[in-house]
Amino acid sequence: PDGLLLGDCEPGSFLGKRVYTDDGLVNLAPRQMIESMEKLEAEWQWEKDNCDSLKLINMRGFLTHNSFMQNAPSLVEGKNNTNYVYMNPLDAENAGLSAADGEALVYNENGAIRIPLIITSELSPGSAAIPFGWGHQRADGLAVASCTGGANVNFLTPSGEKHVERLSLMAHLSGILIKVCPVPEKTPLCILTEGEWDQSIEFHLTNMAVEWGRLFLLAKHHKQMESWHLPAIPDYDKNVSTPINGLISAARLFEKRFIVINGKNPPISHGMVELLEKYSERDDNHRPVLFGTDDRFFPFPGSYHSSLGQYFEKIFDSKKFESVDLGGIMRDLHPILISPEELTVEDRAILDLN
């Protein structure tokens, strides 16, 4: 009833008999291990270079195990209906966060998530923790879990052969560099950029300085993002060049409305932002709000609603953007158009340059 009891191992039955190397001995310094050890110096230098950066570590929730328990109603009630990002008070203060914020944006070059926040001195400075196994809002067949809160921490983890430990083939899932910032109180202003420094981007940053607390970059590459000191949200698919990428990323991250500006175009004025927000408040159908007329309108600058994210994902997955220009795609959404006549002469000139 308790299984099969095997006999004790006899002395002398291991080396040469159960070790399947050519010489029957245990190899204490195989070639692969020596090659990996040669990289330790570079890895140690990386750690020293990033010792002041915030790193994401692993954590389990008390009532969860991987992901399947999120579909058990009794385990996802009240405050257990979501996962959280846990931060030390010092790191939270450095990120401009307080307990009153309630939630935060966590991002890096791999992705970005919006998640409830808990500030606790039980976590060491320099580290942030997010329990895994959440973010089922769009899952099929999980009636309970799809109605929970929380975010999928996997959006922040790197992928590819460069991020796998060679000897064990384990993915790198801890010690990941992240940045954290507050969720903007006003409508976020998102600047589309390829990620390279561009003079027009500098114009945007200068022009929108008053709105600094709600500026975000939607970027394909992150080569020079550190010097910009702005949250940089990576594209939905960094291998494909289309503004649809940025629209999808922003729709996944923000609730309700966000305004998208083309970084290659002249900077828009505060008056144009106010008009976009004013017309957005009148809309109950979540349509884009754009400048122009029925004959000619501009996708950017424009106000978009997060509920359009799945529509843009379908456009992306079907590759419709390869055969239909962006204006045609937007026309299918029956956008609300703001007449150029409502703009100042200077702002109309910006549209003409656009």
Side-chain angles (χ1 to χ4, degrees):
D2 297 319
L4 178 65
L5 180 63
L6 299 177
D8 293 337
C9 292
E10 297 294 330
S13 66
F14 188 69
L15 293 178
K17 297 182 180 180
R18 284 188 285 150
V19 177
Y20 294 103
T21 55
D22 292 337
D23 56 9
L25 302 177
V26 177
N27 190 342
L28 299 182
R31 175 181 54 81
Q32 296 91 333
M33 186 175 291
I34 297 299
E35 290 175 353
S36 292
M37 289 175 66
E38 292 172 353
K39 300 178 181 179
L40 290 179
E41 195 63 38
E43 292 180 6
W44 173 233
Q45 186 60 49
W46 183 91
E47 290 290 348
K48 290 190 288 185
D49 292 342
N50 292 283
C51 63
D52 294 327
S53 300
L54 189 63
K55 294 189 178 76
L56 180 67
I57 63 173
N58 286 320
M59 177 181 178
R60 283 189 184 273
F62 288 120
L63 295 181
T64 65
H65 179 75
N66 294 339
S67 60
F68 68 90
M69 286 190 175
Q70 275 72 283
N71 209 44
S74 62
L75 298 180
V76 290
E77 296 176 344
K79 65 180 181 180
N80 299 318
N81 191 256
T82 180
N83 59 344
Y84 299 83
V85 55
Y86 295 82
M87 296 180 67
N88 180 275
L90 181 62
D91 294 319
E93 182 180 358
N94 291 338
L97 291 162
S98 68
D101 286 300
E103 58 181 348
L105 300 181
V106 185
Y107 62 96
N108 58 15
E109 62 181 338
N110 306 306
I113 59 175
R114 177 176 181 152
I115 186 170
L117 167 71
I118 290 181
I119 299 175
T120 172
S121 57
E122 293 182 1
L123 200 67
S124 299
S127 60
I130 300 178
F132 55 87
W134 292 84
H136 300 289
Q137 289 82 0
R138 298 170 63 184
D140 293 329
L142 298 177
V144 176
S146 61
C147 296
T148 60
N152 187 347
V153 70
N154 290 337
F155 284 131
L156 302 171
T157 58
S159 61
E161 61 181 15
K162 292 182 180 179
H163 302 287
V164 174
E165 202 284 308
R166 285 192 63 218
L167 295 182
S168 67
L169 298 183
M170 280 294 296
H172 293 169
L173 298 175
S174 191
I176 299 166
L177 298 182
I178 60 170
K179 291 183 179 295
V180 184
C181 70
V183 175
E185 294 181 5
K186 295 183 178 180
T187 307
L189 305 180
C190 305
I191 304 175
L192 283 168
T193 171
E194 290 289 310
E196 302 289 350
W197 180 256
D198 189 282
Q199 193 68 34
S200 60
I201 296 291
E202 190 168 358
F203 289 150
H204 281 292
L205 300 188
T206 302
N207 187 59
M208 308 305 290
V210 176
E211 308 291 347
W212 191 267
R214 55 167 171 161
L215 271 180
F216 295 82
L217 299 169
L218 303 175
K220 179 178 180 181
H221 301 296
H222 282 240
K223 293 180 181 178
Q224 298 174 335
M225 294 300 177
E226 292 297 321
S227 63
W228 296 1
H229 303 294
L230 282 178
I233 311 306
D235 276 356
Y236 172 67
D237 186 332
K238 286 176 276 192
N239 298 315
V240 180
S241 294
T242 170
I244 298 291
N245 258 320
L247 291 171
I248 294 173
S249 296
R252 284 186 164 193
L253 189 61
F254 301 115
E255 290 183 348
K256 301 180 181 178
R257 287 277 175 179
F258 55 92
I259 293 174
V260 180
I261 306 163
N262 189 345
K264 296 289 186 182
N265 292 344
I268 69 174
S269 70
H270 294 289
M272 297 175 80
V273 172
E274 290 171 356
L275 274 174
L276 288 169
E277 292 182 323
K278 174 183 174 183
Y279 274 79
S280 297
E281 291 173 356
R282 304 176 182 177
D283 176 51
D284 295 327
N285 298 315
H286 303 165
R287 293 178 293 168
V289 178
L290 312 173
F291 290 103
T293 63
D294 289 335
D295 297 328
R296 183 168 179 250
F297 61 84
F298 308 92
F300 310 113
S303 171
Y304 296 89
H305 197 280
S306 59
S307 63
L308 296 174
Q310 293 190 40
Y311 169 79
F312 291 131
E313 288 182 38
K314 289 179 181 177
I315 294 295
F316 186 91
D317 294 339
S318 67
K319 298 186 177 181
K320 184 178 178 180
F321 63 89
E322 294 179 351
S323 57
V324 180
D325 64 22
L326 199 56
I329 291 172
M330 296 304 170
R331 196 177 295 278
D332 291 342
L333 291 171
H334 307 291
I336 295 174
L337 298 177
I338 303 174
S339 171
E341 298 301 320
E342 295 195 44
L343 298 171
T344 63
V345 174
E346 293 79 8
D347 288 345
R348 283 202 295 273
I350 290 176
L351 280 188
D352 289 337
L353 288 171
N354 191 345

